[in-house]
Amino acid sequence: TTTTTTTTTTETTSALSKRQRTVGYRPFGGKLEFGQGAKMTLEEIVNESKAARKLKQREEGELRKESESLLQQLQQMNVQSSLNGLDNVWIVKPAGKSRGRDIICANRINRILEYIGFGISGKEMHWVVQKYLERPFLINRRKFDIRQWVMVTDWNPLTVWFYDECYLRFSMSDFSMKDLEDNYTHLCNNSIQKEGENFEQVKNSSMWDLDSFKSFLLSHNQQEAWEEKILPQMKRISKWALMCAQDMLENRKFSCEVYGYDFILDEQLNVWLLEVNASPDMSASTHVTERLTERVMEDMIRVIVDAKDFNWGRRRLEKEPGCETGGWELVHRGEQEVSFPISAFGCKLALVGTEVPIHTVFVGKPPEYTLAGSNRDTRTRKLREQQLELQVEAKKEPPKPPKIKKKKSSRPPGVDPAGLLGRGGGGE
């Protein structure tokens, strides 16, 4: 009886291994749904299961190396990968305001449209929408940005000066992505942070000078990061930003402009430009700015007065100022003056992407999107329509003068007018 049972079981297994079955097979897990999917033999299914078990048995270190190699390849394909996190957060700023006013962070398109008043006539204004850096470099669990002064003494040829000291501005709350409405966590502007509770007690810790930052890097075995990675990136970005705007600004000789650049670092100490302020704050708000602003303005006089011949006079074609300029370093000098400055890269920039569908609109009628743009009722569109109407009317032919209708005569028919009026002299 035992021999017969064993033989029968072997034959059944052999028959099953040769049998073709139609299954919906998902490698490395998932349920099998018979009657759907690709055709696989039972032997192929067993082999796939063995491969899954081998994958689980591989060492963690080997899998980590392969994963890191794959992530590095993805980062090379997407240079902004270090900006991204898990929440897809964007920061929205009004273009015409400063000091952190009316800035919000949001991760939903409907929240952004509601905030800017999309579709509401009379509420139009320019906004700046940027990708929010979700993985910043933190110091003591706090987010910070870097304020750097840059001066332009001539736009044609472009002459750029970079100051040798900057300072760090900290947020007063530990960094977290849980509450996007908390400006004390996500904004580092001093005008925002000073409104927080107990700011006067922690005021001196809200800013660091450059020496304090270098000491922090040294204590974390990153002493070479500033000179070899961070500072060169800041200088390059400062020049590139001005080159891009060179053909859009009016050049006024014998004048200068100081800009406040705001930079931020990601986890890998890459430098990202947040914004450029045309009128940076020069007040002595803390002990750090009290010392730096006085030094900056004194050195500005050296550049404007002592190096005036280099900037606007007989020595303007030379490469070096030839005099003491304090902390201001010349980082860019145009080769020669050109009639019409062009942007740095000499190419047209275009925004390429995929249209985002909007499922919910909070206010106004639902917007309709086309290749030409939305149907938002704006003042600009109304003005263009009025101008178009005036142009059409101007092209029209002048109207013809109206025809004058002759009055009907009251004379009886058949009577000669000359006979009634007379011909002078005697009649016939």
Side-chain angles (χ1 to χ4, degrees), residues 131-191:
K131 182 65 184 70
Y132 184 77
L133 199 155
E134 301 180 37
R135 294 182 293 162
F137 184 80
L138 304 178
I139 296 180
N140 300 329
R141 301 187 302 276
R142 303 287 177 86
K143 178 185 173 183
F144 67 93
D145 63 16
I146 302 175
R147 167 58 62 88
Q148 173 66 50
W149 288 298
V150 178
M151 180 166 58
V152 178
T153 54
D154 202 339
W155 283 100
N156 188 14
L158 182 62
T159 307
V160 183
W161 302 79
F162 189 92
Y163 204 64
D164 63 354
E165 273 199 87
C166 57
Y167 63 94
L168 279 60
R169 305 182 303 179
F170 287 87
S171 63
M172 292 291 97
S173 301
D174 291 351
F175 182 76
S176 173
M177 297 298 296
K178 293 181 180 180
D179 186 6
L180 298 180
E181 302 290 336
D182 186 7
N183 287 340
Y184 298 113
T185 299
H186 301 287
L187 302 182
C188 302
N189 304 64
N190 183 67
S191 56

Side-chain angles (χ1 to χ4, degrees), residues 195-208:
E195 300 298 331
E197 297 181 0
N198 302 323
F199 176 76
E200 291 299 325
Q201 287 76 9
V202 296
K203 177 174 157 181
N204 290 333
S205 62
S206 65
M207 289 186 185
W208 276 11

Side-chain angles (χ1 to χ4, degrees), residues 6-218:
T6 303
T7 305
T8 305
T9 304
T10 304
E11 292 175 356
T12 304
T13 304
S14 177
L16 287 173
S17 63
K18 297 178 181 180
R19 194 168 169 185
Q20 297 282 343
R21 294 186 179 184
T22 304
V23 297
Y25 177 67
R26 298 178 181 178
F28 312 136
K31 68 177 183 177
L32 300 176
E33 299 175 355
F34 288 88
Q36 298 179 0
K39 293 182 178 180
M40 298 181 65
T41 63
L42 184 61
E43 182 178 0
E44 292 173 338
I45 296 175
V46 172
N47 291 336
E48 290 286 350
S49 300
K50 289 180 179 179
R53 287 195 297 271
K54 288 181 180 179
L55 181 63
K56 294 179 181 179
Q57 294 173 359
R58 294 173 64 182
E59 295 183 0
E60 181 181 355
E62 184 180 356
L63 291 175
R64 180 182 293 274
K65 288 181 180 180
E66 293 185 2
S67 301
E68 290 177 352
S69 175
L70 180 60
L71 289 175
Q72 289 178 359
Q73 295 178 18
L74 292 174
Q75 288 177 359
Q76 293 176 358
M77 298 172 62
N78 181 13
V79 294
Q80 293 187 346
S81 59
S82 59
L83 290 176
N84 301 324
L86 302 176
D87 299 302
N88 190 30
V89 179
W90 295 74
I91 187 167
V92 183
K93 312 174 184 180
K97 294 185 180 181
S98 59
R99 302 191 299 275
R101 292 174 295 175
D102 298 338
I103 296 179
I104 66 162
C105 297
N107 58 359
R108 294 180 293 111
I109 183 65
N110 289 329
R111 169 67 177 124
I112 297 175
L113 295 176
E114 176 194 23
Y115 181 73
I116 66 176
F118 184 86
I120 300 180
S121 181
K123 200 178 179 181
E124 303 89 3
M125 60 183 298
H126 293 286
W127 296 86
V128 177
V129 182
Q130 295 175 265
K131 182 65 184 70
Y132 184 77
L133 199 155
E134 301 180 37
R135 294 182 293 162
F137 184 80
L138 304 178
I139 296 180
N140 300 329
R141 301 187 302 276
R142 303 287 177 86
K143 178 185 173 183
F144 67 93
D145 63 16
I146 302 175
R147 167 58 62 88
Q148 173 66 50
W149 288 298
V150 178
M151 180 166 58
V152 178
T153 54
D154 202 339
W155 283 100
N156 188 14
L158 182 62
T159 307
V160 183
W161 302 79
F162 189 92
Y163 204 64
D164 63 354
E165 273 199 87
C166 57
Y167 63 94
L168 279 60
R169 305 182 303 179
F170 287 87
S171 63
M172 292 291 97
S173 301
D174 291 351
F175 182 76
S176 173
M177 297 298 296
K178 293 181 180 180
D179 186 6
L180 298 180
E181 302 290 336
D182 186 7
N183 287 340
Y184 298 113
T185 299
H186 301 287
L187 302 182
C188 302
N189 304 64
N190 183 67
S191 56
I192 296 293
Q193 298 299 326
K194 69 180 182 181
E195 300 298 331
E197 297 181 0
N198 302 323
F199 176 76
E200 291 299 325
Q201 287 76 9
V202 296
K203 177 174 157 181
N204 290 333
S205 62
S206 65
M207 289 186 185
W208 276 11
D209 58 13
L210 182 57
D211 290 337
S212 300
F213 183 46
K214 288 181 177 180
S215 299
F216 173 83
L217 295 175
L218 179 62

